[in-house]
Amino acid sequence: MTRLLRPALFLDRDGVLNEDRGYVHRWEDFRWIDGARQAVAGFNARGWWVFVVTNQSGVGRGYYSEDDVHALHARMAEDLAAAGARIDAFYHCPFHPEALEDRYRHPDPPDRKPNPGMLLKAMVDWPVDAARSVMVGDKAIDLEAGRRAGVRSLHFSGGDLAAFLAAEVAGD
């Protein structure tokens, strides 16, 4: 059986979907970026996959647990569903070269951006058309991860995410 390839919107989390307040891991501290829910819903409606790819070194640094990451992502998914939107999959990297716990310490984690591991995993897990896909990030490491994965990378420096994406990915 052939799986029909679809483009994917890869989104960094902190600074793209939500305000980057430093190691956000509790719903109480989470604030959506303007237009984020609308952007996700718009790409869902266009038939794109939508993935979150986020470094979560706060886990490795001992600031919070992977359960906290999963709980926050579940709350994000609930809130998006109420807005008629969905994230198809969340990918996170808890590893860091200076992690406190051995299980999270790695000198160069393949999933930690700027490495492309999370994007490449999504492309294995889902039928992604990499040539038509886009990575959106607010940092150089996000853009580099996208380039290394073979997808176009866009730098989001703030404002309304839906408006930004409407201008950058028009007509696809």
Side-chain angles (χ1 to χ4, degrees):
M1 174 185 244
T2 304
R3 299 191 311 169
L4 184 62
L5 296 180
R6 293 165 42 189
L9 178 65
F10 295 95
L11 298 165
D12 176 46
R13 195 188 80 186
D14 302 325
V16 174
L17 286 173
N18 61 280
E19 295 175 8
D20 189 350
R21 299 169 162 221
Y23 300 104
V24 174
H25 63 281
R26 299 177 330 145
W27 185 248
E28 298 78 34
D29 300 324
F30 185 92
R31 300 288 177 273
W32 288 105
I33 290 282
D34 290 341
R37 288 174 284 200
Q38 296 86 347
V40 172
F43 277 80
N44 294 153
R46 292 167 67 186
W48 286 49
W49 302 116
V50 180
F51 305 119
V52 170
V53 289
T54 177
N55 285 348
Q56 290 297 311
S57 70
V59 173
R61 296 172 194 267
Y63 300 159
Y64 49 92
S65 71
E66 280 196 88
D67 286 343
D68 294 326
V69 174
H70 293 300
L72 180 61
H73 290 168
R75 289 295 300 269
M76 289 173 64
E78 288 173 20
D79 203 53
L80 283 165
R86 78 178 178 289
I87 299 294
D88 292 295
F90 290 86
Y91 294 86
H92 75 279
C93 180
F95 302 100
H96 190 272
E98 299 167 12
L100 298 179
E101 292 185 48
D102 287 343
R103 67 182 171 145
Y104 294 122
R105 191 175 314 120
H106 188 287
D108 187 23
D111 289 346
R112 182 173 171 74
K113 295 176 289 181
N115 292 326
M118 289 185 284
L119 288 85
L120 296 175
K121 280 183 180 176
M123 289 186 218
V124 168
D125 295 345
W126 302 80
V128 172
D129 181 349
R132 293 176 47 219
S133 297
V134 176
M135 169 71 203
V136 180
D138 64 323
K139 295 180 178 71
I141 60 170
D142 303 320
L143 308 181
E144 181 62 22
R147 281 192 289 274
R148 290 183 187 181
V151 302
R152 183 163 63 117
S153 295
L154 300 174
H155 180 242
F156 178 68
S157 58
D160 184 294
L161 184 61
F164 170 80
L165 287 172
E168 291 290 338
V169 192
D172 193 297

